[in-house]
């Protein structure tokens, strides 16, 4: 289901190398930077990525879609209320990221080079956009 991402809320972003700042240092370590909301950034190690991706791939696309809708819905509420610990936000955001990639059948490596996930809570649908490097 496609929709105008302007109507959606950005919930997760993997800044590309060109974004500069902390993303550059994280990518230099061989990890992937992930931003949740405006102020929470964490990194995924290759081991984290492998484990999460294997779990996501074990699910049917429809199941991944239902799960990403539920997680994204919760994240939207947590971001709006500015509540929640960073560890909790990071865990949910990472799960949401991999489930969205699985649900949309996107290539993992290309997507992790730079993407943004927006979610329209009214339609309960996510969009994964590639960010140019």
């Amino acid at each position: 289901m496609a929709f105008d991402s302007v109507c959606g809320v950005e919930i997760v972003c993997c800044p590309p190398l060109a974004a500069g700042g902390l993303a550059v240092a994280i990518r230099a370590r061989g990890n992937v930077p992930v931003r949740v909301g405006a102020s929470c950034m964490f990194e995924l190690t290759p081991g984290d990525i492998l484990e999460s991706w294997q779990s996501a791939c074990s699910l049917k696309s429809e199941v991944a879609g239902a799960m990403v809708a539920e997680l994204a819905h919760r994240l939207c509420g947590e971001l709006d209320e500015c509540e929640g610990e960073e560890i909790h936000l990071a865990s949910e955001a990472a799960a949401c990221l991999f489930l969205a990639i699985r649900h949309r059948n996107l290539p993992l490596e290309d997507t992790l080079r730079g993407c943004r996930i927006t979610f329209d809570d009214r339609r309960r649908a996510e969009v994964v956009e590639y960010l140019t490097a």
Side-chain angles (χ1 to χ4, degrees), residues 4-38:
D4 183 359
S5 64
V6 172
C7 296
V9 173
E10 181 182 299
I11 52 174
V12 180
C13 176
C14 289
L17 188 59
L22 186 55
V24 172
I26 291 171
R27 289 194 184 274
R29 289 192 292 271
N31 298 331
V32 174
V34 181
R35 189 182 71 232
V36 187

Side-chain angles (χ1 to χ4, degrees), residues 60-73:
K60 291 183 178 181
S61 179
E62 300 81 29
V63 173
M67 291 175 74
V68 75
E70 183 59 34
L71 278 170
H73 171 76

Side-chain angles (χ1 to χ4, degrees), residues 16-130:
L17 188 59
L22 186 55
V24 172
I26 291 171
R27 289 194 184 274
R29 289 192 292 271
N31 298 331
V32 174
V34 181
R35 189 182 71 232
V36 187
S39 61
C40 177
M41 178 152 326
F42 63 96
E43 56 192 280
L44 295 170
T45 66
D48 297 332
I49 293 166
L50 179 63
E51 181 181 342
S52 297
W53 186 238
Q54 287 175 338
S55 295
C57 286
S58 71
L59 302 170
K60 291 183 178 181
S61 179
E62 300 81 29
V63 173
M67 291 175 74
V68 75
E70 183 59 34
L71 278 170
H73 171 76
R74 281 201 317 248
L75 278 169
C76 283
E78 290 168 359
L79 292 174
D80 286 344
E81 296 170 7
C82 296
E83 290 183 9
E85 301 177 6
E86 285 188 3
I87 293 173
H88 176 74
L89 283 175
S91 175
E92 285 194 344
C96 189
L97 171 68
F98 289 103
L99 289 168
I101 294 169
R102 168 67 180 110
H103 180 230
R104 298 295 173 187
N105 294 312
L106 299 170
L108 180 65
E109 287 185 31
D110 293 346
T111 309
L112 293 181
R113 281 191 195 107
C115 72
R116 169 188 9 253
I117 299 175
T118 54
F119 184 72
D120 184 330
D121 202 27
R122 188 174 49 83
R123 293 185 180 138
R124 306 246 331 157
E126 84 281 355
V127 168
V128 180
E129 301 173 71
Y130 287 100

